């Protein structure tokens, strides 16, 4: 199993000057042995952020287009983000699914495009509150997994982020036992298909310094995907070092 991964999703925040200020502070904070850190800034900052990274840190894209190139105004391909310094790419983030109408079929194409370009995609899966209350969480999450991973060769290298939609940016965090149940189901699904042998399962959704240690100590949680609390370097550093 690769190292625990703690990922910062900056969403549509930060200019170049703000990123510089962030990393001026970040680099005064101790590097963390034994945990990998990945930053997912907006596309415009990928080159710059890649240049600020220390060993054990990586950059990733928040999204990509599934085509290798073409007449797709405003879009960015997997090869382009790789060229900008990315190792990772988020695919199927709930904001892409719910605000931009990305369905499983499109997410699967993006996932394959990322793999084909040599990126390590992080597939985001998760249920809405309505789906959870209807008892459909596992069916939904495993369906999202099947759509993206079902047809892949067993050697494909990727990670999965379980992010309950109702926990993203809401301040409501999943209980550790709920995260453990979903993560265990994902692991079992992967094992049955012989897929994702080194896949890490990240939890995401209102992770903060005060809940990160418990989440990281939860069975089958191999990392965290952090949105709002990754925007301040000191706060994010407390998450990265939680429980150490
Ligand atoms: C996210 O953007 O993936 C996320 C989990 O956001 P937040 O931590 O703000 O809930």
């Amino acid at each position: 199993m690769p190292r625990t991964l703690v990922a910062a999703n900056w969403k549509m925040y930060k200019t170049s000057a703000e990123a510089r200020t962030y990393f001026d502070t970040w680099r005064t904070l101790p590097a963390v042995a034994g945990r990998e850190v990945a930053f997912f800034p907006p596309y415009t900052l990928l080159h710059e952020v890649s240049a600020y990274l220390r060993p054990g840190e990586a950059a990733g894209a928040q999204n990509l287009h599934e085509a290798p190139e073409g007449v797709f105004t405003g879009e960015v391909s997997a090869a382009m983000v790789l060229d900008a310094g990315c190792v990772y790419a988020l695919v199927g983030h709930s904001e892409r699914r719910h605000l931009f109408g990305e369905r499983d079929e499109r997410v699967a194409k993006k996932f394959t495009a990322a793999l084909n370009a040599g990126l390590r995609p992080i597939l985001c899966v998760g249920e809405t509150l309505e789906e959870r209350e209807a008892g459909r969480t596992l069916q939904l999450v495993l369906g999202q997994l099947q759509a993206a991973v079902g047809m892949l060769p067993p050697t494909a290298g990727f990670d999965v982020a379980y992010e309950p939609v109702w926990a993203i940016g809401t301040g409501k965090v999943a209980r550790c036992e709920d995260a453990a149940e979903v993560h265990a189901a994902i692991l079992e699904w992967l094992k049955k298909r012989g897929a994702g042998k080194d896949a890490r399962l990240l939890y995401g959704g209102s992770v903060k310094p005060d809940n990160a240690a418990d989440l990281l100590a939860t069975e089958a949680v191999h990392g965290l995907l952090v949105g709002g609390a990754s925007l301040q370097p000191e706060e994010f550093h407390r998450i990265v070092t939680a429980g150490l």
Side-chain angles (χ1 to χ4, degrees):
M1 175 68 59
R3 277 179 303 173
T4 298
L5 173 63
V6 186
N9 177 14
W10 284 3
K11 311 194 188 210
M12 200 174 75
Y13 289 99
K14 296 197 188 297
T15 61
S16 173
E18 287 164 347
R20 195 175 325 120
T21 304
Y22 184 101
F23 278 97
D24 282 348
T25 302
W26 178 258
R27 288 184 297 193
T28 66
L29 303 169
V32 185
R35 286 192 180 162
E36 186 180 356
V37 180
F39 293 94
F40 293 77
Y43 290 137
T44 48
L45 297 176
L46 280 173
H47 270 109
E48 180 176 341
V49 165
S50 299
Y52 293 142
L53 301 176
R54 300 179 287 191
E57 299 174 351
Q62 298 175 16
N63 181 33
L64 46 80
H65 192 276
E66 62 272 28
E69 60 183 3
V71 286
F72 301 109
T73 302
E75 294 293 333
V76 176
S77 73
M80 290 169 184
V81 299
L82 186 78
D83 181 56
C86 288
V87 169
Y88 294 103
L90 297 181
V91 177
H93 188 279
S94 81
E95 285 150 18
R96 300 298 317 169
R97 292 179 189 265
H98 295 278
L99 301 176
F100 299 96
E102 284 185 18
R103 305 178 74 88
D104 279 345
E105 193 186 37
R106 180 107 197 264
V107 171
K109 288 183 181 161
K110 292 184 177 208
F111 192 76
T112 303
L115 284 167
N116 289 344
L119 293 161
R120 186 175 176 97
I122 301 178
L123 176 69
C124 302
V125 296
E127 81 289 1
T128 62
L129 188 57
E130 211 181 8
E131 288 157 346
R132 171 159 283 270
E133 286 175 350
R136 295 183 52 229
T137 298
L138 295 185
Q139 179 197 344
L140 196 282
V141 164
L142 298 182
Q144 289 172 333
L145 204 58
Q146 165 69 32
V149 177
M151 308 305 279
L152 288 181
T155 49
F158 61 89
D159 300 303
V160 178
Y162 167 55
E163 298 205 296
V165 178
W166 48 269
I168 298 181
T170 59
K172 290 184 195 144
V173 66
R175 294 180 310 163
C176 291
E177 53 266 42
D178 292 333
E181 184 196 8
V182 178
H183 283 224
I186 295 172
L187 269 189
E188 195 190 319
W189 188 96
L190 290 172
K191 208 170 154 194
K192 259 196 207 148
R193 279 153 188 80
K197 288 207 167 62
D198 66 349
R200 288 165 293 188
L201 308 190
L202 316 188
Y203 168 81
S206 295
V207 175
K208 304 279 181 255
D210 61 2
N211 58 31
D214 285 346
L215 287 162
L216 283 170
T218 298
E219 186 73 24
V221 173
H222 312 128
L224 301 169
L225 179 53
V226 188
S230 72
L231 292 170
Q232 297 299 326
E234 295 90 347
E235 190 177 19
F236 184 53
H237 194 266
R238 285 170 60 209
I239 293 174
V240 172
T241 54
L244 289 178

